[in-house]
Amino acid sequence: MINIKDTFVGRSAKSDILSGIVVAVALVPEAIAFSIIAGVSPLVGLYTAFILGLITSLIGGKAGMISGATGAIAVVLVGLGLKVKESLSPEMLTQLTQSGELSTYILQYILLTTILAGIIQILIGVFKLGKLIRLVPQPAMYGFVNGLAIVIAMAQFPLFKGESWIMYLLVASTMIIVKFFPKISISIPSGLVAIIVISSVVISLDLDTKRVGDLANISGNLPSFAIPSFHLTFDSLLIVLPYAVLVALVGLIESLLTLSVLDEMGGKRGSGNQECIAQGTGNVTCGFFGGMAGCAMIGQSIINFSNGGWGRLSSLTASILLISFVVSLSSFISLIPVAVLVGIMFMVSIGTFEWESGNRIRYMPNSDRFVLIAVTVITIFADLAIAVITGIIISALVFAWKHSKVRTRTKRENENTKVYEFDGPLFFGSTTSFFELFDIKHDPENIVLDFKDARVMDISGVEAVDTITKKYAKAGKKLVIRHLSEDCKKILKAAGPYCTYEEDDPNYKVAINY
């Protein structure tokens, strides 16, 4: 349930409103830049920042979080655009390109993808799966962030096509301003200062360089309801659905990671599942009102918190003020030089890259190094969701390999009794090493299997206990099994009758695939 005081007052209404104003202005260049990356009109990204920001400000899992169009989502949508082009016949592609309708055609696929991704995110929140973000290992996170930074930088290169040295100079000047202005003042976003200064120079000197208005028409009105307009077929659904899943996963990964960072800054825990539902609701709404998919923006959220915007009123102010800019100042936005946006995105890329990982990789185990490098490479050449999922799978396999051996100590209770004392988890990965521990042929008549320091983790472990019991029975030897949980004893078939009850029997459940 949303607390009214938390929603509209927060720590301080004044701090929230002032911080919201700063964030609203800083959102404009990023929303435009990420739209350009995705290959759609800058107005699409601005609508996303407004709609998604408004909804998550009211029902999000963390007060003060800022959501909108992001580089991570934009990069996934670039892949969708390429896939749509590949699906077109050469004649159709030529016709749409010559008529200038190709971008609009691709946008319809993006809108449908956004709606489906939102539905997936809502379902993840409803079924309380947001906690699965804890499964992402730290090396995978480093690789994810580093790969994202490189992809954002690479996405800027096509914008240099056909430009002169002037653009290179403007980009460098933008990066210098963004880098060093915070040393003068942190009350105004350095990106905003760069936009004002560089735009003023370009406009006053009428420099020959690409402007935002040259890329697309950005005349702005309030977003209006519209259903994606293309014939939905099985083939088009096959194109959209995989990217919808990727958008949903990438969006939630970035949003939940942002929430975790803000939890540490504010000391108050947010709700991951509520954030999943809010992001999903926002994306569904974006899809029906002309916006692309988006998620939480870690940079803008940190700016908001750093400026005192800890309440929901801060993000609410930012979203409402942003759409006011679009409706009343769209003609001014079209004059912004593309170079300043490129410079800002280069600085976002530099700031996003986890430079500390370069130092830490020297001290990481080889397996963690492999995960970090693999996730980075896959992020660059494939997509973010596959990269993170791959990192999780690799880390899980490495964990299973490291714990794939069960150790044993043997002792004699008397002349005819040998005790095997096990140590380690018995699961699908360690059953082979488990069987190698026994010397059935030379063991005495009485055998004791003691699992006090071991745990049977899954059905493969249970079957291993059953199998070794059958082997000793076949050899005509008496077997006793100690210290198994009641849950394990119930599942055992062959070994069940040989289990004893001990005062200090452990209590745990065995994972079973029914």
Side-chain angles (χ1 to χ4, degrees), residues 113-375:
T113 301
T114 300
I115 294 169
L116 293 178
I119 293 172
I120 294 170
Q121 290 174 331
I122 292 173
L123 292 175
I124 290 175
V126 168
F127 289 104
K128 301 186 183 303
L129 301 178
K131 59 187 177 182
L132 295 181
I133 189 64
R134 292 178 291 184
L135 296 178
V136 181
Q138 191 64 43
M141 289 313 311
Y142 282 143
F144 167 79
V145 171
N146 292 347
L148 173 61
I150 295 171
V151 169
I152 290 175
M154 292 173 60
Q156 311 307 310
F157 297 156
L159 297 175
F160 286 93
K161 186 177 181 180
E163 290 294 298
S164 65
W165 61 269
I166 294 176
M167 181 167 180
Y168 292 90
L169 180 61
L170 294 174
V171 169
S173 301
T174 299
M175 295 175 69
I176 291 173
I177 293 173
V178 173
K179 173 66 176 177
F180 294 103
F181 184 79
K183 298 181 182 298
I184 301 173
S185 173
I186 59 173
S187 59
I188 304 175
S190 57
L192 173 61
V193 175
I195 290 174
I196 295 173
V197 172
I198 302 299
S199 298
S200 298
V201 171
V202 170
I203 294 171
S204 61
L205 299 179
D206 193 24
L207 296 179
D208 183 20
T209 186
K210 195 180 297 178
R211 315 283 181 93
V212 171
D214 296 329
L215 301 175
N217 178 22
I218 60 168
S219 57
N221 297 303
L222 289 172
S224 56
F225 178 82
I227 297 175
S229 57
F230 69 91
H231 184 58
L232 182 62
T233 63
F234 181 72
D235 290 337
S236 63
L237 190 61
L238 283 180
I239 293 174
V240 167
L241 191 57
Y243 287 94
V245 174
L246 294 178
V247 166
L249 294 177
V250 169
L252 289 187
I253 288 171
E254 189 159 344
S255 298
L256 295 176
L257 289 174
T258 300
L259 186 145
S260 299
V261 171
L262 298 185
D263 281 348
E264 294 180 7
M265 292 180 65
K268 183 178 180 182
R269 191 176 181 83
S271 171
N273 293 316
Q274 185 176 333
E275 184 63 28
C276 293
I277 295 174
Q279 292 289 335
T281 304
N283 279 324
V284 170
T285 308
C286 283
F288 282 117
F289 282 85
M292 59 191 266
C295 63
M297 308 175 74
I298 188 167
Q300 297 295 343
S301 298
I302 292 176
I303 289 174
N304 191 37
F305 261 51
S306 300
N307 283 279
W310 288 30
R312 295 185 184 273
L313 185 59
S314 61
S315 46
L316 183 65
T317 300
S319 60
I320 293 176
L321 194 57
L322 176 66
I323 197 63
S324 302
F325 291 161
V326 172
V327 173
S328 59
L329 300 175
S330 58
S331 58
F332 295 97
I333 294 175
S334 64
L335 299 176
I336 297 175
V338 172
V340 71
L341 302 180
V342 172
I344 290 173
M345 294 312 300
F346 277 149
M347 292 307 295
V348 169
S349 176
I350 293 172
T352 301
F353 197 90
E354 191 67 54
W355 299 100
E356 180 63 23
S357 63
N359 295 325
R360 295 190 179 185
I361 196 171
R362 295 183 299 172
Y363 306 104
M364 289 180 180
N366 289 333
S367 58
D368 286 349
R369 291 176 187 168
F370 178 74
V371 169
L372 192 157
I373 295 172
V375 172

